Amino acid sequence: CLWTLAAILKETLKDALVPRAGVLKKLLAPLDAVLEGFYNAILLHHFDSHHYTSPYSEATNNLISFIDLLEALLSSRIELELPLRCQRILFLKVSYVLNIISSSIPYVIKKKLILLLKKCVLYKSREDAKSGSLFLQTPSLCEDMLALSNVVLQVVNLTWLNQIPLSGKSSYFGSSEAAPGHDSQSGSDQTVLRALSLVVLKALEFKSLFSAAEAEIK
């Protein structure tokens, strides 16, 4: 079901001949509360359990399908003037995603979620893309970006980054220690390193742009 819904969303976004906003609203509006419930239930799961030890297990595949759906929901957001809750949930409850990334879940899922976070911080509404302004024109997107930035900066201010692996086997963010027989440079996943760094930098940027208190910005 998750895969089918994601596929329909992707195909709708590709189709230039259909009124995409109308189709997406008709498809997603009845599922809005259901998808938020899925988000809460699936991402609050105990990911350190034995079901997720293998990247090939059914539980892992189901989670990957759900992440693909979240990505499709993020991409579909640009079509609606007022986004639905299911298109905003990734921003408003990003702490669930951050908790999974620092859990003992397979590296393939951590990487997929980190790259999804990168897409979130780079996301722009159609109005913002046209204007080229640093300041977001859409109130809901401004609110969402600030919510995401606040949570990201809170966890980064703790020890969250030090728990994030930079490859399936070797080095960790903030650590030069490599696994035996691995070169610390070649062992690092540069894609994940760049994505994580960008997420933190963009969170700082949004916080400084939209935070009212000068002391807080400093």
Side-chain angles (χ1 to χ4, degrees), residues 26-86:
K26 195 172 181 181
L27 174 68
L28 293 175
L31 296 172
D32 204 20
V34 175
L35 289 173
E36 183 174 0
F38 268 22
Y39 186 93
N40 295 338
I42 292 173
L43 299 192
L44 268 180
H45 196 67
H46 184 60
F47 290 104
D48 293 320
S49 73
H50 68 280
H51 297 295
Y52 295 92
T53 50
S54 166
Y56 309 106
S57 69
E58 186 182 358
T60 302
N61 282 330
N62 288 342
L63 185 55
I64 288 172
S65 292
F66 188 62
I67 296 168
D68 287 339
L69 176 58
L70 290 176
E71 192 173 340
L73 287 168
L74 177 66
S75 300
S76 70
R77 176 176 177 150
I78 200 167
E79 299 295 335
L80 299 184
E81 197 173 328
L82 290 171
L84 297 165
R85 177 83 179 174
C86 64

Side-chain angles (χ1 to χ4, degrees), residues 4 13 15 26 45 47 89 104-105 111 137 139 148 158-159 165-166 198 200 203 211 213:
T4 303
L13 293 171
D15 195 342
K26 195 172 181 181
H45 196 67
F47 290 104
I89 194 73
S104 60
I105 206 153
K111 182 169 182 174
Q137 311 292 313
L148 181 144
L158 301 171
T159 57
L166 288 180
L198 184 65
V200 177
S211 179

